[in-house]
Amino acid sequence: MSLNVPTFPELLASASRSAVHLEMRDSYAVDYEKGPFADWRAGVRRDPADRASWWRPWLDLIQETVGRGVVVRRARIVSEPVSDYTRFLYDGTFTNVAAGEQVRWLPRRRASDIALPGNDFWLIDDRLIRWNHFTGEGASAGGEVSTNSAAAKLCGEAFEAVWERAVPHDTYQIT
């Protein structure tokens, strides 16, 4: 069943227990990251001590969601050696952690025997899926929402299998 795609604030507001996000691409070309990625490639790094320079509405949303008792987890399946884009994500992930999100990294070679959905997704309370579609170049191709119970089960099982094998952000070593 396909539903209207809610905004991320609406999506996370609907969570009462859990919000999990699985990312499986080695690079994304989403518009809101083009400038920051270019800056990162030019040597600009976020200073953890200068919170005002990197705190943004997304982190407010995560902090508010976690503050309501919702567990927010993100797992990233990555090829190694990692792409420049993955290094960029890794360098900025301390901001997600500071907001209360739990993040883990799984080398792709360790995911070969996990049944994975064809697209990145958010799964809310094991019932509502927000599929994230991308073009071949990594640009957003829009989202789709589903309450299909079989798909939700696949997403939940896939996420938990990835999470179990993945390395917590604070101990993952970039290669």
Side-chain angles (χ1 to χ4, degrees):
M1 173 181 201
S2 185
L3 307 170
N4 289 331
V5 179
T7 64
F8 280 105
E10 292 168 338
L11 182 71
L12 292 177
S14 75
S16 62
R17 296 183 332 278
S18 67
V20 300
H21 185 196
L22 183 61
E23 296 178 350
M24 299 181 281
R25 296 180 58 92
D26 287 318
S27 66
Y28 296 86
V30 290
D31 289 340
Y32 62 86
E33 287 184 342
K34 287 180 182 177
F37 182 46
D39 291 346
W40 179 88
R41 292 184 85 173
V44 175
R45 298 296 182 266
R46 292 182 178 137
D47 178 358
D50 184 12
R51 187 178 181 121
S53 71
W54 49 263
W55 198 264
R56 56 194 188 277
W58 175 255
L59 300 173
D60 285 332
L61 178 59
I62 295 299
Q63 186 175 49
E64 188 277 330
T65 303
V66 171
R68 290 188 292 105
V70 176
V71 176
V72 180
R73 297 183 292 162
R74 178 186 308 252
R76 293 179 170 137
I77 299 174
V78 296
S79 299
E80 293 180 325
V82 300
S83 67
D84 278 351
Y85 187 86
T86 298
R87 287 181 189 281
F88 161 70
L89 289 178
Y90 179 84
D91 283 352
T93 295
F94 75 89
T95 65
N96 300 74
V97 173
E101 189 174 341
Q102 300 171 41
V103 181
R104 292 188 181 180
W105 303 81
L106 181 64
R108 191 172 308 282
R109 69 179 176 278
R110 294 183 56 209
S112 296
D113 62 347
I114 298 173
L116 297 168
N119 294 289
D120 290 11
F121 64 85
W122 279 89
L123 179 63
I124 306 299
D125 294 336
D126 298 313
R127 62 170 176 73
L128 179 69
I129 308 160
R130 187 205 195 272
W131 300 109
N132 295 328
H133 299 295
F134 297 93
T135 68
E137 298 297 320
S140 176
E144 177 184 1
V145 174
S146 173
T147 57
N148 178 289
S149 60
K153 183 176 188 238
L154 171 65
C155 289
E157 289 173 352
F159 184 87
E160 293 306 330
V162 168
W163 190 258
E164 182 178 308
R165 292 182 191 183
V167 179
H169 176 70
D170 62 346
T171 57
Y172 180 67
Q173 299 294 312
I174 287 286
T175 61

